[in-house]
Amino acid sequence: MAAGEGVLVVGAGVVGASVAYHLTRLGHERVTVLDSRGPDTLPGSTGLAPGFVGQLSATPELAVLAKDSVATYRALSAAADEPAFWQVGCLEVATTEERLAQAHQDVEHGRGLGIEARVLDAAEAVALAPALVDAERALGALHIPSDGAADPVGLTRLLVAAAESAGARFRWRTPVQALEADRGRLVGVRTGATGELLRADRVVLATGIWGPVLAAGVGVRLPMVDVQHPYVFTAERPELDDTPVDAPIVRYPDHAVYTRRHGRRYGLGSYAHRPLPWEPAAIRDSAELPFREADFGSALAEARRLVPAFRQASPGRRLNGVFALTPDELPLVGPVSAVPGLWVAEASWVTHAAGVGRQLAAMLLEAGSPAVDPGRLAPGRFDHWSDRKVRETALGHYQGIYDAH
């Protein structure tokens, strides 16, 4: 790609901001990012993300992207007046002998990926996170010291500020209504109520769960399924202050539960419920749906009994957020071969967002070798699959994605 050509990024959440950040880091200044929201609000998926950043994965590509993300988040936070990432570590609590044995295998697996980990006994795990580790059920825990907790909104603002200072332009309150193609090639996007055409040599779709809606307008199917997911908080606790997080993030793989501190509250999520797909018919600002007790109540009740901090705490905010799954749990990163000029950075979590941004920027600018084999993340890798197979396979990973991520 020639140095003078422009790149237009649709979506200023954590992924879109990361793409802009890494493009400017590679010296490309002609970057414009569009978002329907204002700079002070991020009610999309980024604004709902719980901020868990875990690197160890059964899928090597995800581990590479997560390690890359941690490095970026650490650097951004170190240079900021208010950090947005805290390397507090992660505990994978074993409540069965089988999971404890798996933890020892994960130490070796992590070593092969360049991720340090060790197995703690139950007392050591409780000492690191007494409010979150069930002392009666824990047999031990896998400890990954380099994992961390993020403030996704804060991280996005740091990425935006760094990209802007390097020349990127962010156009807020500019909703994209449609992608515009001419003779099979993408030439720009239609924005606002008037449908103004904004032209660009390359358009990067980084709109998360709404990516398929826009892509379908130019005849492109993105192989991802939007799925609902619950996350709940306690009410503010009198023993807690405004410290964002002071203990490891904690996961219970045997129960598909994860939990962390959020300042004066604790938060908890669970995958132990039937997958609930959602199909957006149009672009909207929020990725939050109504919280239905019938869908999540029993799973969250069990999760609350598992985590000490939730057993006696008054309930706080309840979220039903939406994120995207793919059939192999990997994000969609790269060019769309059927429509030249269209690139995507979709189906990525905060955990991998900075790595995805770097991957796409390197590919767009042909700047060295991408960290991950582009074929493994190619948006068209499921083109030969039926819609039904994409959907059923992706939803089948809903609970399993817990281990992969």
Side-chain angles (χ1 to χ4, degrees), residues 35-49:
D35 201 285
S36 63
R37 301 156 295 187
D40 297 323
T41 58
L42 283 171
S45 294
T46 296
L48 301 175

Side-chain angles (χ1 to χ4, degrees), residues 53-70:
V53 182
Q55 302 162 95
L56 190 59
S57 171
T59 308
E61 291 85 357
L62 290 178
V64 170
L65 295 172
K67 287 175 62 181
D68 198 349
S69 296
V70 165

Side-chain angles (χ1 to χ4, degrees), residues 137-375:
R137 299 176 71 173
L139 302 180
L142 179 72
H143 182 217
I144 308 168
S146 59
D147 284 353
D151 168 8
V153 173
L155 271 179
T156 303
R157 288 175 178 155
L158 292 179
L159 289 163
V160 169
E164 283 185 320
S165 68
R169 181 188 180 197
F170 284 75
R171 290 186 54 172
W172 304 102
R173 301 180 181 88
T174 307
V176 172
Q177 306 297 344
L179 304 179
E180 183 77 6
D182 182 19
R183 286 172 289 185
R185 179 180 179 83
L186 206 72
V187 295
V189 301
R190 296 282 179 181
T191 68
T194 64
E196 175 192 2
L197 175 60
L198 298 182
R199 292 186 175 273
D201 299 294
R202 301 288 190 276
V203 174
V204 178
L205 202 55
T207 52
I209 62 174
W210 298 287
V213 177
L214 287 170
V218 290
V220 173
R221 183 193 69 171
L222 293 183
M224 49 193 273
V225 178
D226 297 338
V227 64
Q228 304 174 56
H229 180 67
Y231 195 80
V232 296
F233 297 89
T234 65
E236 291 192 355
R237 302 292 301 157
E239 73 274 14
L240 299 178
D241 58 21
D242 290 326
T243 302
V245 60
D246 62 352
I249 58 178
V250 173
R251 293 187 169 109
Y252 287 88
D254 293 320
H255 306 272
V257 170
Y258 61 103
T259 181
R260 62 163 285 194
R261 178 180 173 181
H262 296 266
R264 295 180 180 272
R265 305 175 296 169
Y266 291 105
L268 173 154
S270 172
Y271 291 88
H273 62 90
R274 65 184 177 90
L276 297 166
W278 180 65
E279 296 184 8
I283 307 297
R284 48 183 265 181
D285 281 344
S286 179
E288 184 177 359
L289 299 179
F291 189 100
R292 295 179 295 190
E293 189 69 27
D295 292 330
F296 306 124
S298 59
L300 292 175
E302 180 62 29
R304 290 187 183 101
R305 287 191 288 270
L306 183 65
V307 180
F310 277 80
R311 288 174 183 158
Q312 304 299 326
S314 299
R317 186 182 180 193
R318 306 187 305 175
L319 298 176
N320 176 12
V322 182
F323 64 83
L325 293 174
T326 64
D328 60 4
E329 305 174 22
L330 294 172
L332 308 175
V333 185
V336 175
S337 58
V339 182
L342 176 60
W343 294 64
V344 299
E346 293 285 358
S348 172
W349 295 18
V350 174
T351 304
H352 312 106
V356 164
R358 188 191 300 272
Q359 174 89 6
L360 190 74
M363 294 175 65
L364 263 171
L365 302 182
E366 299 178 358
S369 299
V372 174
D373 175 5

